[in-house]
Amino acid sequence: MLERDCIQSRGFQNTEKDGQIVGFQFTIRSLYYRGLWLSQLRPATVWVNTEEFGPETITWTIKRQTYTHEEMAKCGDIHWGLLDLATINVEKPGGLGPGLYEIRLSYTYSASYLPPRIDTLLGNQTHVRKLVMV
Amino acid sequence: MRIDKPGAKRGVSVFSYAGDYGVTMQLEDILADIHNMGARGLEILANSHIPDYPHPSEAWVERWFELLNKFDLVPVEYGHWVDSRLYAGRELTTEESLAMLVRDFKIAHMLGFRILRTKLGVIDETLTPVQNWKEFIQAALPYAEKYDVVMCPEIHEPTTLDSAMVQEYIEFIEQTGTKHFGLNIDFGIFREKKLPKDDEKGRPPFRHSRPEELGLYLPYVYCCHAKFIEMSDDLEELYIPYERIVSVLEEHNWDGYLLSEYEGFHRGEPGYASDQVRRHQAMLKRLIGE
């Protein structure tokens, strides 16, 4: 079972590459009732306390594959389902030290069966959660 | 397995449990809930309720039939979408739309569904479908025949029965003579009381259809979304005139499933759907004289 919030508490950790800490990651679930084809997603922004991380510093891992926003925009046949956790990977050399952080995440998506104006509004809530880096 | 009796029958859309699914309830819990209310018809949304959609595993498909059998449920309606705005900045081509349809026909057929709630992309506030809908639906008809499915766009508020869109759908059915395209009526089109969203900027003025208009359209209706907003402690729906709707269905001897679809104020919150759906099923049971 998943936690009710979009941002899950399990999965918040630093990421390593070649023995160096290169960033951090956390996991989310889709609050949209039918999940999303990856190309429906619009670029995400993350904030940690007051520090902003733009779309160019973020990749998504869904079903064990990692994508940039540009790559996702072309993936119209890969579906992020309601039971699939997505991992948001954020570049930040050195990562985050132990402690409590306020994590915020924002992204929108298209929904073709609703008026086109809705595409910029749906999901246009910022997901917020305080997470502990162990 | 019981044999379906002709007339209006009770079912539930798993969409009603959107707040619980994956958080407090798994599909099996939801199906157990539906069975316990005495409903037999089931609607799932492909994208929402099939793990690994659009490539469900063999093990899951096997489990699906085990669950239907365990809870004596009938797979009535399969919800799917033609996501016309799948890619930013352009609409799907006719060929791409057709491929999306056929992919779902195969899955629906494999899972035992005949009726599809086919949600088309729209271009405006009154939910007018994309301009090439006739082309890809026409192209899909032979495949629908092959996989024995009926595509049913959902007539959903703010669309009304007297709209040009419904007229176009009916003309399409009449002209092609097809048995593989029809309508799903969402009872939200009969909602008489306003909701806060009706006053949102950009929405068309609040209008609704009357149940008494429905008879004319029933020959094209394969399934209904028994939409509801709020059930009272007296087991009455507070926004939609159910008694009048059911009496029109009975008057025309309509045969099919009414799928309870909760879309009330606590939609998406865990812990509300089960009680609300149960109340709604109690009301339907009384109204259809089961």
Side-chain angles (χ1 to χ4, degrees):
Chain A
M1 292 288 188
L2 309 174
E3 289 180 299
R4 182 181 164 180
D5 286 332
C6 165
I7 299 175
Q8 307 281 303
S9 57
R10 187 164 60 234
F12 182 44
Q13 59 204 18
N14 284 320
T15 48
E16 283 185 26
K17 195 179 175 188
D18 304 327
Q20 301 284 316
I21 293 178
V22 293
F24 63 93
Q25 61 184 196
F26 56 95
T27 54
I28 64 171
R29 73 176 182 107
S30 169
L31 296 190
Y32 182 41
Y33 74 94
R34 64 177 186 121
L36 289 166
W37 299 104
L38 300 194
S39 57
Q40 285 177 266
L41 278 160
R42 300 293 176 262
T45 301
V46 168
W47 294 264
V48 177
N49 298 333
T50 55
E51 191 176 357
E52 180 174 316
F53 297 89
E56 69 288 351
T57 65
I58 295 169
T59 58
W60 294 58
T61 306
I62 291 170
K63 292 176 177 167
R64 295 181 297 282
Q65 282 285 326
T66 298
Y67 306 89
T68 63
H69 287 113
E70 291 70 28
E71 287 165 341
M72 283 201 293
K74 294 175 199 144
C75 289
D77 58 353
I78 310 250
H79 191 257
W80 173 26
L82 297 184
L83 305 181
D84 302 323
L85 287 176
T87 302
I88 304 289
N89 309 293
V90 183
E91 266 176 45
K92 180 177 168 58
L96 299 170
L100 183 67
Y101 295 90
E102 185 180 83
I103 305 293
R104 287 186 290 146
L105 166 71
S106 173
Y107 66 89
T108 56
Y109 45 84
S110 72
S112 308
Y113 58 95
L114 294 172
R117 111 188 120 84
I118 303 283
D119 284 1
T120 54
L121 301 175
L122 258 188
N124 190 20
Q125 63 176 122
T126 302
H127 306 285
V128 185
R129 189 136 191 218
K130 287 194 171 166
L131 293 182
V132 174
M133 179 66 77
V134 179
Chain B
M1 282 282 217
R2 289 175 282 175
I3 303 297
D4 273 359
K5 277 192 295 194
K9 293 173 271 282
R10 292 191 286 134
V12 176
S13 173
V14 177
F15 167 78
S16 299
Y17 291 82
D20 296 283
Y21 179 64
V23 177
T24 60
M25 297 172 97
Q26 295 177 338
L27 186 63
E28 179 164 1
D29 303 310
I30 295 169
L31 301 192
D33 225 34
I34 295 170
H35 171 64
N36 190 247
M37 297 170 193
R40 288 198 71 210
L42 187 65
E43 179 193 61
I44 63 165
L45 306 181
N47 308 41
S48 313
H49 304 125
I50 301 176
D52 301 318
Y53 173 81
H55 307 290
S57 68
E58 276 178 37
W60 187 84
V61 174
E62 199 174 304
R63 181 77 183 132
W64 164 252
F65 285 107
E66 278 170 20
L67 290 175
L68 291 183
N69 195 38
K70 178 174 178 183
F71 297 119
D72 189 26
L73 293 170
V74 179
V76 169
E77 189 171 61
Y78 173 100
H80 69 123
W81 285 261
V82 180
D83 274 288
S84 56
R85 300 198 299 277
L86 184 62
Y87 300 103
R90 71 174 184 92
E91 273 186 4
L92 287 189
T93 64
T94 296
E95 292 70 29
E96 288 170 325
S97 306
L98 174 64
M100 214 161 182
L101 284 169
V102 175
R103 181 173 60 196
D104 278 306
F105 292 176
K106 291 177 184 170
I107 304 170
H109 181 67
M110 178 170 69
L111 300 181
F113 290 95
R114 256 206 94 227
I115 303 171
L116 311 182
R117 194 246 25 209
T118 303
K119 203 90 167 161
L120 302 177
V122 308
I123 55 171
D124 62 21
E125 294 295 327
T126 51
L127 311 182
T128 304
V130 288
Q131 283 180 342
N132 61 343
W133 76 265
K134 275 184 204 167
E135 293 164 41
F136 60 76
I137 295 292
Q138 176 95 48
L141 291 177
Y143 297 95
E145 195 176 338
K146 178 177 174 189
Y147 293 105
D148 190 26
V149 290
V150 189
M151 295 173 274
C152 296
E154 179 183 12
I155 308 308
H156 191 284
E157 56 95 2
T159 304
T160 49
L161 287 171
D162 61 6
S163 63
M165 177 207 309
V166 175
Q167 201 50 46
E168 267 195 64
Y169 286 150
I170 288 173
E171 280 167 17
F172 178 84
I173 297 166
E174 291 295 341
Q175 282 163 10
T176 56
T178 183
K179 298 285 177 209
H180 296 279
F181 189 79
L183 302 177
N184 168 321
I185 301 295
D186 182 292
F187 291 167
I189 64 169
F190 303 119
R191 177 166 56 82
E192 295 175 319
K193 281 194 217 162
K194 277 170 97 170
L195 289 170
K197 69 174 181 181
D198 294 310
D199 293 321
E200 275 172 19
K201 227 177 116 192
R203 293 264 301 188
F206 178 67
R207 280 189 72 216
H208 61 83
S209 299
R210 290 177 303 107
E212 293 70 27
E213 297 169 67
L214 180 60
L216 190 63
Y217 303 90
L218 283 176
Y220 308 101
V221 177
Y222 288 84
C223 197
C224 293
H225 267 170
K227 167 69 51 67
F228 68 104
I229 307 297
E230 191 176 0
M231 292 298 302
S232 71
D233 289 351
D234 309 329
L235 308 181
E236 298 286 355
E237 212 294 327
L238 299 175
Y239 289 80
I240 295 165
Y242 264 91
E243 214 154 303
R244 283 162 56 206
I245 297 169
V246 173
S247 92
V248 171
L249 297 175
E250 286 184 340
E251 192 187 314
H252 290 82
N253 296 314
W254 184 77
D255 181 26
Y257 277 89
L258 307 178
L259 300 164
S260 292
E261 192 192 44
Y262 173 59
E263 207 166 338
F265 301 105
H266 296 286
R267 179 174 75 133
E269 287 178 51
Y272 283 92
S274 186
D275 171 64
Q276 281 288 308
V277 172
R278 208 171 172 89
R279 291 173 186 224
H280 193 246
Q281 284 289 319
M283 179 190 73
L284 288 181
K285 186 175 180 184
R286 169 170 56 82
L287 291 178
I288 66 180
E290 189 188 300

